[in-house]
Structures are given as C-alpha cells and as structure tokens.
Amino acid sequence: EAGVAQSPRYKIIEKRQSVAFWCNPISGHATLYWYQQILGQGPKLLIQFQNNGVVDDSQLPKDRFSAERLKGVDSTLKIQPAKLEDSAVYLCASSAIGPSYEQYFGPGTRLTVT
Amino acid sequence: GIQVEQSPPDLILQEGANSTLRCNFSDSVNNLQWFHQNPWGQLINLFYIPSGTKQNGRLSATTVATERYSLLYISSSQTTDSGVYFCAVYTGGFKTIFGAGTRLFVKA
C-alpha cells in the first residue's frame, strides 16, 4: 500500500514570494491534515479536511496561508506572501475517517525562506 | 486547551541500555499515538494506543488513560533508535496536539 506522498521535498524562496505544496493521501483515507513543524518543536496542526470540507483551520494564518482539497483526494497548501518565520517543515498526514483513527505522515516539505 | 508534556527532553544512552519515555496529558483523550522522527525527518508510526499495553519487538507502550499518561519503553537500544520521539493526542473537537518530543541519542 502506497504511503502519503508529498512534493516538493525541498524549497527555497525569498520572502514575499509565493509557494505551493502538494499532498496525496493514502488511498481511501477520508481525512487529510497539514502540519507545520518548526525546528526543535513538535508538529502543529494547521488545517484538517474531512473529504473535501474543512473541519478545522483555527491555527491557519489565513491572511497568507490557504489550502484546498478538490474532489476529496489530494490537497495543496499555499503561502502568499512568505515570511522568514514560515521556514519550517510542512507535513501532510491522512487517516481513515477522523483524528480518532491512526494518522500516517508523508515525508514532508522543508521550506527555507531567505 | 489540553497540555501535552514529554519527559525527559533529551536522553543519551549507551547501546544496549533500556529507557522509558513519558507523555503526560492534562485532559481525557480519544486517541494517543507514539511516533519516531528519524534524522531525515520522517515520522514513523510506533503505536496507536488510547489505552492498555502493546508491544512490537524491542518497543512497548502503556497508556493509563484514567491517570492521563503514557509510557514508551525501549529495550536493548540500538544506534538506529536515535531521533526524536513524539506523542500526539486527540481529545475531540478535531484537535490533534503533539508534545515537544524526547530527543534520543544512542552511542555505539
């Protein structure tokens, strides 16, 4: 069974530029999560989708971050414009139905904003 | 909101030693997972353990939900066990909270 796929693996941009990350969850998983992990910290949940609807985005900085999950399968997370403090690893995870079920993580995208 | 505390924050072991990592949480949980983040940043599932005890090879975990803690045991540690160990809890309301992690280094 294929795991959670993410791309790109690495990205370097200048501040004020825009960037997009892509995630494809495990086949059949209804719930998809985006996390931000700053160096030395645990992952922080940014947004959670159930199928193609948002069920929680309370920690998403909506003035610059946006995410969508068209057709309830893959998802994109966008940052526009990027700030230096956005430098982090962006992790995508999926689970069968909701967070009470086991979550599986992709390899992450390491973003550096200069 | 719920607080998740992991201890110790850092741990250095000699290869072959045993260790216990702890995760305390401040409210009742519906789900608890332990992960190992390897040096390449990949989060690897170790245990899905909202309650009870599970074992997988040299690793085992116990969650005592009524007392709001979970323990991860590593026996006969190996250098490949190095990395960061996270616990993550879900309490309902669509919130998953990670602890700050325990950084483990196993010396050869």
Side-chain angles (χ1 to χ4, degrees):
Chain A
E1 173 181 275
V4 178
Q6 290 188 247
S7 67
R9 294 294 312 277
Y10 306 92
K11 190 74 176 179
I12 301 174
I13 61 173
E14 295 181 352
K15 58 183 179 182
R16 293 187 290 275
Q17 287 186 325
S18 63
V19 64
F21 313 127
W22 174 84
C23 172
N24 188 257
I26 292 173
S27 177
H29 278 192
T31 306
L32 185 148
Y33 316 78
W34 283 102
Y35 291 84
Q36 179 192 58
Q37 185 176 22
I38 293 173
L39 186 65
Q41 300 180 16
K44 182 182 80 172
L45 181 66
L46 294 176
I47 188 167
Q48 179 181 327
F49 294 92
Q50 184 111 344
N51 296 307
N52 60 349
V54 176
V55 295
D56 182 72
D57 62 357
S58 57
Q59 299 197 92
L60 187 73
K62 299 180 187 64
D63 57 334
R64 298 182 300 104
F65 287 64
S66 64
E68 61 181 8
R69 190 184 185 195
L70 300 176
K71 301 181 181 178
V73 182
D74 56 354
S75 174
T76 57
L77 175 70
K78 297 179 181 178
I79 307 175
Q80 182 179 13
K83 293 184 175 181
L84 295 176
E85 59 260 36
D86 298 332
S87 294
V89 176
Y90 291 85
L91 295 161
C92 179
S94 69
S95 66
I97 297 175
S100 60
Y101 290 79
E102 192 167 2
Q103 296 186 37
Y104 296 87
F105 282 78
T109 297
R110 184 176 300 275
L111 173 67
T112 302
V113 182
T114 63
Chain B
I2 188 170
Q3 302 298 313
V4 180
E5 294 182 355
Q6 291 188 242
S7 60
D10 299 281
L11 185 59
I12 300 174
L13 296 176
Q14 193 67 43
E15 195 170 29
N18 303 329
S19 63
T20 301
L21 281 57
R22 188 176 181 101
C23 174
N24 291 335
F25 40 94
S26 60
D27 203 348
S28 58
V29 299
N30 296 352
N31 175 16
L32 186 145
Q33 287 187 250
W34 282 98
F35 296 92
H36 174 215
Q37 189 164 44
N38 65 22
W40 295 270
Q42 176 73 53
L43 277 166
I44 299 165
N45 291 37
L46 296 178
F47 295 101
Y48 167 79
I49 186 166
S51 63
T53 297
K54 291 185 177 180
Q55 181 155 7
N56 184 2
R58 297 182 295 105
L59 274 59
S60 64
T62 296
T63 297
V64 184
T66 54
E67 297 188 19
R68 299 179 183 172
Y69 72 88
S70 184
L71 302 174
L72 177 68
Y73 305 95
I74 304 174
S75 64
S76 303
S77 59
Q78 301 175 358
T79 56
T80 52
D81 295 332
S82 296
V84 185
Y85 291 80
F86 289 103
C87 70
V89 303
Y90 169 66
T91 65
F94 305 108
K95 291 289 192 294
T96 301
I97 308 296
F98 275 74
T102 292
R103 286 151 189 79
L104 173 65
F105 179 67
V106 181
K107 298 187 297 184

